[in-house]
Each structure stands twice: as structure tokens, then as C-alpha cells.
Amino acid sequence: MANPRRELFYAIRWRYVARYLGQFCLIIGTLNLLNLLVALFYSEYRIAISYAALVAGLFCVGGVLSRIRTHGRMQMNEAMVIAAAVFLVVPLAAAVPLTTHGMAFLDAWFETVSAATTTGLSTQASVVGIPKTFLFARAWMQWYGGLGIVILSLALIVRPGMTALRLASLDAPDDLVGGTRAHARRVLNVYLLLSGVGLLGWLLLGGPPMTGLLYILSAVSTGGFAPTDNSFADLSGVQLAWLVTLVTLAGALPLALYHRAWKDGWRQLLQNLESRALLVAGLAMSGLLGLILWSQGMVLSEAAVHAPLMALSAQTTSGFSSLAPGDLDAGSKGVLILAMAMGGSVGSTAGGFKLLRLLILFGLLYRSLMAMSMPANAVITQRLGKRQIEAKEVEDALMIILIFCGVVVLSWLPFLLYGYAPLDALFEVVSATGTVGLSAGVTAAGMPAVLKLILCADMLLGRLEFVAWMVFFYHRTWFGRKRGKT
């Protein structure tokens, strides 16, 4: 007897994946034209040639693939495969120009994976001597990487009916391609506005223009690549650090929420449950970290400055730092690990397993506690704010949190086998999986290649929240009955 689940399952159609992957190649090629222009501006001609070759290659491949004809609507598994493929192809292609500076290909790929996933981890001990084009290119890649993942997560990856779409006040699109374009227009407007306001604020505070551009490009995407070795510690004033932090907070909120606030009033920003959760979590982590730093001997006035900058950087998964995380005590690292794991809001550029899912978990625990004090036949519904939570949404939230924790543990064990300090290794793995970028000093050029690959895998898994990769590596996704065939 045939399995009904298999009868309803359709494998991907190669023509669809090839066509839309080709369109992405054209988009990425266009975006890399800016890197080419920057290289020419700084007279870094060897790098300019490499970017010219990259752009030409992407245009050629994209031009051929995008001409493939398709009919009908895209399937959800096809959308997920495209999303995963983009995050494989783009870093691999972008790594080639970095090798012209003498960087090993694995380190170059690590750098581009970190940029595309808006993480900010780097194997490079210092940015001193690195060509200016590369500093711009990685910040620019974080900017469009953050934009791309928001659009993909809202319109492609998140299944119709999921909480993210409802809280963002977006309709679940029947047509994934059309839905993507609609979301892209909304999110792009918000993204450009946040970037422009951030850069304007930087200039008004008297910050260096080019440095500000690199900071804001990374900040709005919650990326964390700083143009200097010591991140916030190298800034001329704490006002600039706070400006960048505020931009990261803005990026860690659901970007589609700004569109709703524009239509229905700015009170929507504060009335949104995820916004309030992010503020509460940020304040709680800041206060806890401040107390620990103070108890460890830091002057109270300094702790009041560094604690919120570090805690909010971890909570928004931006990865900027005013203190070297590797020099912190165990308690401070523990607070940052917790903040990095929780992350920001669904539908934002932030990573982690997301505060929304943590709220759903807390709601489940509360419902279980209430059930123990009520009659056996009583019906208890779980609510999130004013909305009832469906069982499927609880299941999805728990699945993501469980997979996140499982990936962290499995990635942590090899670091222990190589003799790294357990807490520092855990800090690094959570930072990579949460796409944060804070480093306890473990990530370095001399790190074993297998550990670099593990961190790359963590960044890729965490950025697409695991589900897309599960679909990508599921054999029936690629081989089986296709729609329109019997």
C-alpha cells in the first residue's frame, strides 16, 4: 500500500531552482559592482580586476540560468533549497577576490560566510594592512546579507500561517515569488531609512565619514564587522558607540513592523510583544552584566558604560564590543552566552533562536503549570499577547530551540577534544550559531581547519534557522515524484 505522505510529497523541479538561483546571481553581480568601484577609487587595481572577473562570471551564469522558462507557482521546498543554495554560492564566489591579498582560501571563505550570515567572526588577528576595499566589501556584504535573509525568511522560509507572518501583520503569500517582491519593497524602504538615519547621526556627532559608513552598514544588519581592531574601544567617544548600538537595536526589531507603524501609528512599535521583549531582555542582561563587572572590581561608572554596550551587542547579535570578551570573567561570559542564544526578533536581521520562541516556551510551561491545578477535562488555550497560539506554532518553536541547542552541543565537543577551554569554546560556538560575532579569542588563523569548517557550518545553520538545511539535505527533496508528473 502506498504511503499517503509520500504521495503528497513533491520533489523540487530543477528548472525552478536554476532560474531563480540565476536571478540571484544577477543581483549579487550587480551588488559587487560597488566593490569594483571602491577598488578603483582606492587605486587597488589588482583587487579591482578580481572583482571585475567575479562580476562578469556572475552575470554570465545568471544570464544563462535566468532565461530558463518555468510555469506555475514555486513550492515551499524549492524556495528553501534556493535560500540554502544562495548562502552556499555567494560566499564561495566572494571568497575568490580575498585570496588576491594572500589570504588562504579557507580563511577567505570563513570571512565571506561570516559576512553573508551577518555574524562578524574573523580569523584575521588585525585589520591593519588589509586593503580598504576588503574592509568595505565585508561590511557591504553584511548589509545586503542581512537584507536578503529578512526577505527570504518572511516570504520564502517561514511557512504560511507561522507566527512571524502574523505578528509582522503580513499576509501569508500564496505566490511565493510575488510575496517575495512585495516584502522586498517594504523591507528595502525600512532598511534604507535605518541606514540613512544612522549615517546622518554619525556625521552629526562628528565621526569620520568612511568609518561611519562601515559601522552603519554592519550595524543595521546586526553584523558586527568593525573597521578597527578593538571595535568600540577605538571610537573617539561613547556617543558614537551608543549611536551604533541604537542602530543595531532598530535592526533587531521586526523590520516589517516599521511598515505597520507607518500606517497605523508609531505606538505599534511599543505595543508589539517582541519589541517589549527585546527591551526587557536587553535591560535585564545589561543590569546583570553590570552587577557582575562591578563585583569583579570595575569602577561603577565604567560598568554602567560597558555593560549595556556589551549586553545589547550580544542580545541584538551585532557583535560589536567595548571590552575584549576573552578577558571577561566566567559570569560575564555566561550572561553574554545567554543573550547571544536568545537573540532578537523574528523577521529582523538578528540571529539566535529568537525571543518570540522563548516567549512561546514560557507560555507552554505556564499552561502546563496551570493544568496541574485544574480539572482533568478543562481546556486551556495558550495565548501570546491577545492572540491564541496554535499547537503547530508551539511545535515549531520548540523544534528550533531544540535544534539550536543540539547544534551548539555537537559543535562544542570537537573544540573540547582539541583542548580549548570549555567556557571559551562554548562562547565561540554559541556566537557562531547565533550569528553574533563576539569572540573569546578562539577564532584565529591558526585554528585547526576542521574547527573553522564547524564554525562555518554553525553560521550557515544559524542564519537560515536549520529548517532550510534540513530540506536541502533531505534526499526526497531532490529525487522523487515531481508536480505535474504521474
Side-chain angles (χ1 to χ4, degrees):
M1 181 177 179
N3 189 329
R5 291 185 180 180
R6 292 189 175 183
E7 291 297 321
L8 293 173
F9 190 95
Y10 291 109
I12 64 167
R13 293 160 295 181
W14 294 84
R15 298 175 67 87
Y16 278 77
V17 174
R19 178 186 175 182
Y20 290 107
L21 186 58
Q23 291 184 357
F24 270 107
C25 286
L26 293 176
I27 293 171
I28 299 303
T30 303
L31 292 170
N32 273 278
L33 281 173
L34 189 55
N35 294 331
L36 172 58
L37 295 176
V38 171
L40 292 173
F41 177 80
Y42 286 117
S43 300
E44 295 171 343
Y45 298 116
R46 185 177 178 184
I47 299 173
I49 292 173
S50 67
Y51 275 112
L54 173 63
V55 169
L58 288 170
F59 280 162
C60 288
V61 174
V64 172
L65 295 181
S66 62
R67 291 178 179 272
I68 297 175
R69 294 185 178 181
T70 58
H71 302 282
R73 293 176 176 175
M74 184 185 296
Q75 299 168 183
M76 184 58 65
N77 60 349
E78 290 168 343
M80 292 188 178
V81 166
I82 293 170
V86 166
F87 277 87
L88 284 176
V89 172
V90 172
L92 281 171
V96 175
L98 297 184
T99 60
T100 60
H101 183 60
M103 192 182 300
F105 183 80
L106 179 56
D107 289 338
W109 185 59
F110 188 101
E111 202 83 3
T112 54
V113 167
S114 184
T117 58
T118 70
T119 303
L121 283 174
S122 177
T123 60
Q124 305 304 298
S126 174
V127 298
V128 177
I130 292 180
K132 293 180 180 180
T133 301
F134 290 159
L135 293 180
F136 174 83
R138 65 180 194 171
W140 176 234
M141 193 173 183
Q142 283 192 325
W143 190 87
Y144 67 73
L147 175 64
I149 192 59
V150 171
I151 295 170
L152 287 169
S153 64
L154 287 177
L156 296 181
I157 298 170
V158 182
R159 295 199 300 273
M162 287 282 284
T163 309
L165 288 171
R166 297 182 181 183
L167 290 186
S169 205
L170 297 170
D171 296 326
D174 293 323
D175 180 1
L176 288 175
V177 177
T180 303
R181 291 170 180 166
H183 297 321
R185 287 193 296 269
R186 297 174 183 175
V187 173
L188 179 59
N189 290 335
V190 173
Y191 214 63
L192 289 172
L193 179 63
L194 293 179
S195 302
V197 170
L199 184 56
L200 178 61
W202 178 279
L203 295 176
L204 291 175
L205 290 174
M210 191 59 187
T211 301
L213 177 62
L214 298 181
Y215 264 113
I216 297 303
L217 287 176
S218 295
V220 73
S221 63
T222 63
F225 271 139
T228 59
D229 289 341
N230 300 311
S231 194
F232 283 165
D234 290 331
L235 293 179
S236 57
V238 71
Q239 297 90 345
L240 294 174
W242 269 109
L243 171 69
V244 175
T245 300
L246 290 176
V247 174
T248 64
L249 272 171
L253 292 174
L255 296 188
L257 179 62
Y258 292 98
H259 177 77
R260 189 171 70 182
W262 176 261
K263 292 194 306 180
D264 301 333
W266 294 102
R267 289 184 179 180
Q268 295 291 329
L269 290 175
L270 294 178
Q271 292 174 355
N272 180 266
L273 187 61
E274 282 193 281
S275 299
R276 298 201 300 268
L278 181 62
L279 292 176
V280 170
L283 289 172
M285 294 298 105
S286 298
L288 185 56
L289 181 59
L291 287 175
I292 294 175
L293 292 175
W294 179 57
S295 68
Q296 292 294 315
M298 182 177 288
V299 178
L300 184 59
S301 59
E302 293 184 4
V305 172
H306 292 296
L309 290 176
M310 294 295 294
L312 291 175
S313 178
Q315 191 69 60
T316 60
T317 70
S318 61
F320 297 111
S321 59
S322 58
L323 299 170
D327 297 336
L328 297 176
D329 61 280
S332 299
K333 290 177 181 177
V335 171
L336 294 178
I337 287 173
L338 178 60
M340 290 190 296
M342 290 189 296
S345 306
V346 173
S348 72
T349 59
F353 55 69
K354 304 295 192 300
L355 287 166
L356 175 65
R357 298 186 178 104
L358 187 63
L359 293 175
I360 293 176
L361 175 59
F362 286 160
L364 176 63
L365 294 175
Y366 177 76
R367 188 180 67 174
S368 300
L369 181 63
M370 293 295 294
M372 296 179 185
S373 305
M374 301 181 72
N377 59 349
V379 177
I380 306 174
T381 59
Q382 182 173 340
R383 306 188 71 83
L384 192 62
K386 298 180 180 179
R387 191 177 65 78
Q388 181 174 327
I389 299 297
E390 300 175 1
K392 184 59 179 174
E393 295 174 281
V394 177
E395 178 184 320
D396 289 330
L398 295 180
M399 178 186 68
I400 294 297
I401 294 175
L402 180 61
I403 295 175
F404 184 97
C405 295
V407 168
V408 166
V409 171
L410 292 176
S411 302
W412 181 47
L413 294 177
F415 283 84
L416 299 182
L417 293 176
Y418 273 93
Y420 285 92
L423 186 60
D424 288 346
L426 180 62
F427 189 100
E428 213 78 3
V429 168
V430 172
S431 181
T433 310
T435 67
V436 183
L438 291 172
S439 176
V442 174
T443 302
M447 185 171 60
V450 65
L451 299 184
K452 292 178 184 178
L453 292 174
I454 288 173
L455 290 181
C456 284
D458 288 340
M459 291 186 279
L460 290 168
L461 288 168
R463 184 71 279 179
L464 288 181
E465 296 191 331
F466 314 105
V467 178
W469 294 109
M470 293 167 62
V471 173
F472 187 86
F473 288 109
Y474 180 44
H475 70 281
R476 287 189 58 80
T477 298
W478 302 91
F479 307 102
R481 190 167 64 100
K482 300 187 188 316
R483 187 180 296 273
K485 296 183 179 181
T486 57

